[in-house]
Amino acid sequence: MTEIIDLILALSQDIKDLKARIELLRQSRAEVLKDTWIDNQDVLQTLHISKRTLQTLRTNGTLPYSKVKGKFYYRVADIEQLLQDNYYNHNFKQDGNK
């Protein structure tokens, strides 16, 4: 009986270790993606916006970009920053208090 309990405890610890490793991999992958560049089509699909809206974001300087041979590229980190800067939670006032 104690062998079964020991086995269950060992399995439980292994599961905890695996969960910790998965979380580390997920976090490191998110950090890598922040330095990734994506093109117009990916931005349009991600933000669910039109080509014209994306052009406006470029023109007014809201979304930084790079242009290589007529093709536009955007950093994922810049898109995340744009979303974060425009985040609105209607449950809180501007000062952060309810």
Side-chain angles (χ1 to χ4, degrees):
M1 185 69 165
T2 58
E3 291 177 10
I4 294 174
I5 292 173
D6 290 342
L7 181 61
I8 291 172
L9 290 174
L11 285 173
S12 176
Q13 186 59 45
D14 288 346
I15 290 170
K16 288 178 186 177
D17 292 345
L18 283 173
K19 286 173 73 174
R21 288 182 187 173
I22 290 170
E23 184 60 28
L24 280 173
L25 287 172
R26 191 179 68 76
Q27 288 174 355
S28 62
R29 180 172 160 80
E31 289 302 315
V32 168
L33 286 176
K34 285 187 177 186
D35 293 329
T36 302
W37 291 80
I38 59 176
D39 65 6
N40 263 4
Q41 194 62 35
D42 291 331
V43 175
L44 297 175
Q45 290 174 347
T46 300
L47 297 179
H48 303 287
I49 58 175
S50 68
K51 290 180 182 180
R52 181 65 181 116
T53 300
L54 184 54
Q55 180 183 345
T56 300
L57 293 174
R58 280 194 315 265
T59 303
N60 66 18
T62 303
L63 184 58
Y65 63 93
S66 182
K67 184 178 178 184
V68 179
K69 293 186 179 183
K71 189 166 182 177
F72 294 96
Y73 296 93
Y74 310 85
R75 285 185 346 147
V76 171
D78 292 333
I79 296 168
E80 287 179 354
Q81 187 63 49
L82 173 66
L83 292 171
Q84 189 64 39
D85 291 346
N86 290 285
Y87 180 75
Y88 174 75
N89 184 341
H90 70 277
N91 291 324
F92 293 92
K93 297 179 183 174
Q94 267 190 318
D95 61 4
N97 297 322
K98 281 192 171 189

